[in-house]
Each structure stands twice: as structure tokens, then as C-alpha cells.
Amino acid sequence: MAISGLGTHSISLFFYVIFATFLHKGAAQTISAQGQNLVTNNVSVVEGETAIISCQVKDNDDSVIQLLNPNRQTIYFRDVRPLKDSRFQLVNFSDNELLVSLSNVSLSDEGRYVCQLYTDPPQEAYADITVLVPPGNPILESREEIVSEGNETEITCTAMGSKPASTIKWMKGDQPLQGEATVEELYDRMFTVTSRLRLTVSKEDDGVAVICIIDHPAVKDFQAQKYLEVQYKPEVQIVVEFPEGLTREGENLELTCKANGKPQPHQINWLKVDDDFPSHAVITGSDLFIENLNKSYNGTYRCVASNLVGEAYDDYILYVYDSRADGAPQKIDHAVIGGIVAVVVFAMLCLLIVLGRYFARHKGTYFTHEAKGADDAADADTAIINAEGGHNNSDDKKEYYI
């Protein structure tokens, strides 16, 4: 009579308690569902997200199905949830499926969940929930902020507090690099990974991005980057501003020294190698001006630029030619040279043709006289004999006119 006064939900729970108690007493006789009707799947879920646990029955004969947590507490008995954890919600229930969601997953939810089917004997299938914990934002640090060309620098990248341990990769621009990783295990199978990258830099590396890429199943495209700042010694080039062509006596010379480096050169000097600098040469900043050139100014002029990294130089060799009136080399007229070459070639061709015709004509006359002995020969042998006779038989063939 007391039972009849209870609500429908209370009656269901009452029978569930009795039925579950009876079934748990026979748990020792439970068999695995491998090869049986009960099927489930393992689940990997990121911490804080939702996991779906599925218990499926291929051929159900009206047997009862329930879901247990890793502590073997009943989460759902058919479509009833005895466990007071509202994060578990029924997604679908039928004779062939029990589908349950677990929201806001935490590390404490990780473990083996049990699907039970109360047949004779009972069947069980296991669903392992693996909770993935993404690492925190990567921490990128360098041993020094500014590096001089040719020196080695070290950059470290740290991925903290992940499960499982992260993998760290390095890129310099489009070029993959290899770092040295260390893994530190924390509590609850959490890991911190630190990778150290050592590289020798050049001036071409200035402004190039070094990228730390975190590879982890819980995150995608997780990276941090740092742009290299490389200092390098100056690059020096001497440019002739005037004159455009040859340097001649009496003319002026103007040179500009262009120097670029990081940091920018703080000093630019002009000097004459192995000689004294012309007394009236004028230096203004990076420019050198010499007026009224003469041959005593010939030599090598050097521009030297320096910064905190080092110094570099460029040389200009000055050779002063005679003035235009004194036979200084003039600009070559290529059209005139081409005309002269054409005339010479034509004359040579004409000479070859005349010589060829001359030799051909005299060669023909020679063979005609040689062959005179064969003109009246009856056969080849007679012709040879007549030819060998030469002019000795010429008297036999003389004709006399009266």
C-alpha cells in the first residue's frame, strides 16, 4: 500500500535499486562483450568540452542496458539517471542504444566507463575516456635581443602544462630547424616541454622570423615567433659622380662613398694608400673632391667606414690621362672601325678570287701539253709511250711547206 502511494519516478527508482542490487550480486559472472551484441567506442575529448558515450546493442532481446562510471557507479539505468551529476544528459535511448553526453569534462572524469547488458550471462563493453589538456600559450625567450653577424644565439620555447606532452618544431623563415627538447612530468600526467634552438646568424638573417610551432592533439596552428635583429659591419661602395668617362689632366674628380650597416656607420674616412693625400683635396662628409687633376695624383684612394661591429672599405684607382689636345685617348667610333674592317675583308676576297682564276688557268695549260702525246694513240699503252717520248719525236711530226 505504501508503494502505491509513490510517484511514477519513485517507483522506477525503487525497482531499479532492487534490480541493480540483484545484478551486482551476479557481477562475478559477467562476460566481456567482445564478439557479443554490446558495442562501444573509446573517446578523446579536450578538457572543458563535451564527450559522447555510446552503448549500442546489435540484437536486443529486451535485456536491460545501463552505463557505469569508472567507480562502477550507475550513471544511467535504461533512461533513468540515478547519479546526481547533471553534467550527464541522455541524448538517446532505445532498445538498441543508450547515448549519454558528459559536458564540461575535467581530468577527474578520465577513466574506463562500462556498458552493461543484462543477458544470461551479463555482457560488458568498455569505453575509455581520455581527457586532452592543451598547453598554455608558448613562451618564447632569447639569450640576447641583438646579435652580431657570425655569432651564435640561443632561443627557447616552452609549452607548459599539457596532456599529453607537446611536440615543438622550429622554422626560420621557410627553413625547418632542429631544436633540443626536454620534457618535465608534472602532476596528473601533465607535462611541460622546453625546446632550445641554437643558430649562428648572418646579416641576411636580420628581420627574419624564427617560429616556434606547438604540435598537440588538443590545438591547431599554435605558435609564437620572434624576428631576429642582427647587427653587421658596413658595406662600402665608391661611386664616381664626375667625370663620366676618362679622368684627364686639368679636370675635376668627385667621388661619393656609400656605406650601409647595422647600426649605421658612425665614421667614414678617406685616405690615399701608401701615399700622402693631395693637399687641396676637399672632403665633405662622405664626398671627396679634387680639382685640376694632374698625374701626380695617380694612386689608390680608399674609403673606410666603421660601426660597432667592425669596419670595411672600398678602393678607387685613379689614373690621370693627358689632356685631349695632347693626344689623350679619344672615344672610339665603332662605326668607323666597322667600315674599315668591311673594306679590308672585301679587298681580301677580291684578291682570293683573282689568284684562284690565275692558278686555275695555268694548271689547265700544263695538263694540255702533257696530254699531247695521247691525242693520236690507238689505245692506252700507246698513249703512255707517246707521252713518255715527250718532245723527242717532235721531228717526226714536222711538216714542211714550200
Side-chain angles (χ1 to χ4, degrees), residues 245-381:
L246 299 176
T247 49
R248 300 180 176 87
E249 283 186 313
E251 293 185 346
N252 299 332
L253 174 66
E254 183 177 355
L255 303 177
T256 297
C257 181
K258 295 185 176 181
N260 293 301
K262 188 172 183 179
Q264 280 296 323
H266 60 270
Q267 187 173 5
I268 295 178
N269 295 322
W270 283 95
L271 58 91
K272 188 177 182 183
V273 179
D274 299 330
D275 202 353
D276 295 332
F277 214 69
S279 58
H280 65 284
V282 178
I283 299 175
T284 305
S286 61
D287 296 335
L288 170 64
F289 181 78
I290 305 176
E291 63 178 358
N292 194 20
L293 292 173
N294 61 61
K295 293 187 177 183
S296 65
Y297 298 155
N298 289 347
T300 300
Y301 291 80
R302 176 173 294 175
C303 171
V304 182
S306 59
N307 62 9
L308 296 177
V309 181
E311 69 175 26
Y313 65 86
D314 190 24
D315 289 342
Y316 172 78
I317 299 176
L318 173 63
Y319 182 83
V320 179
Y321 292 88
D322 293 334
S323 64
R324 192 183 302 270
D326 295 333
Q330 304 296 321
K331 288 186 178 180
I332 298 173
D333 192 335
H334 296 286
V336 173
I337 293 177
I340 295 173
V341 171
V343 170
V344 172
V345 171
F346 179 75
M348 291 180 66
L349 288 174
C350 292
L351 179 60
L352 288 174
I353 291 171
V354 171
L355 290 175
R357 291 176 61 86
Y358 173 80
F359 284 118
R361 184 175 59 185
H362 283 271
K363 186 177 180 181
T365 303
Y366 171 79
F367 282 119
T368 301
H369 286 292
E370 287 293 317
K372 282 184 177 180
D375 289 342
D376 300 326
D379 51 32
D381 293 335

Side-chain angles (χ1 to χ4, degrees), residues 18-19 42 125 133 146 253 259 317 347 354 383:
I18 296 174
F19 189 59
N42 295 330
V133 180
I146 302 175
L253 174 66
I317 299 176
V354 171

Side-chain angles (χ1 to χ4, degrees), residues 72-240:
R72 298 195 71 89
Q73 297 171 324
T74 301
I75 301 173
Y76 268 94
F77 180 82
R78 296 178 65 87
D79 59 348
V80 178
R81 176 170 57 83
L83 191 66
K84 294 181 180 180
D85 188 342
S86 60
R87 295 182 304 145
F88 291 97
Q89 294 294 323
L90 185 66
V91 177
N92 183 50
F93 173 74
S94 66
D95 290 340
N96 299 99
E97 184 181 53
L98 175 61
L99 199 62
V100 177
S101 66
L102 170 59
S103 60
N104 194 23
V105 175
S106 66
L107 280 174
S108 61
D109 296 319
E110 191 173 67
R112 173 164 289 187
Y113 290 73
V114 184
C115 293
Q116 284 187 340
L117 182 64
Y118 290 106
T119 57
D120 186 16
Q123 300 177 31
E124 285 188 355
Y126 306 104
D128 292 327
I129 290 185
T130 301
V131 179
L132 307 176
V133 180
N137 291 330
I139 301 173
L140 201 59
E141 297 176 319
S142 58
R143 189 170 60 193
E144 52 268 311
E145 293 299 321
I146 302 175
V147 192
S148 297
E149 63 173 335
N151 291 344
E152 183 183 77
T153 186
E154 180 180 286
I155 305 174
T156 61
C157 183
T158 304
M160 299 184 64
S162 67
K163 179 180 173 294
S166 301
T167 301
I168 297 179
K169 300 177 182 178
W170 291 95
M171 297 285 290
K172 186 183 77 171
D174 297 330
Q175 177 187 2
L177 301 176
Q178 184 67 42
E180 181 180 344
T182 57
V183 180
E184 179 185 0
E185 185 172 359
L186 309 175
Y187 60 91
D188 291 338
R189 290 170 292 172
M190 300 282 286
F191 299 90
T192 291
V193 180
T194 300
S195 180
R196 289 176 173 81
L197 176 68
R198 294 181 178 89
L199 70 158
T200 302
V201 299
S202 64
K203 64 181 179 181
E204 289 77 14
D205 293 326
D206 185 45
V208 175
V210 174
I211 306 170
C212 164
I213 303 172
I214 307 299
D215 188 7
H216 191 274
V219 291
K220 292 182 179 180
D221 299 327
F222 207 33
Q223 62 184 35
Q225 66 180 17
K226 171 184 175 59
Y227 291 94
L228 293 173
E229 186 170 352
V230 181
Q231 291 184 335
Y232 50 90
K233 64 183 181 180
E235 295 176 317
V236 184
Q237 181 184 15
I238 296 177
V239 178
V240 180

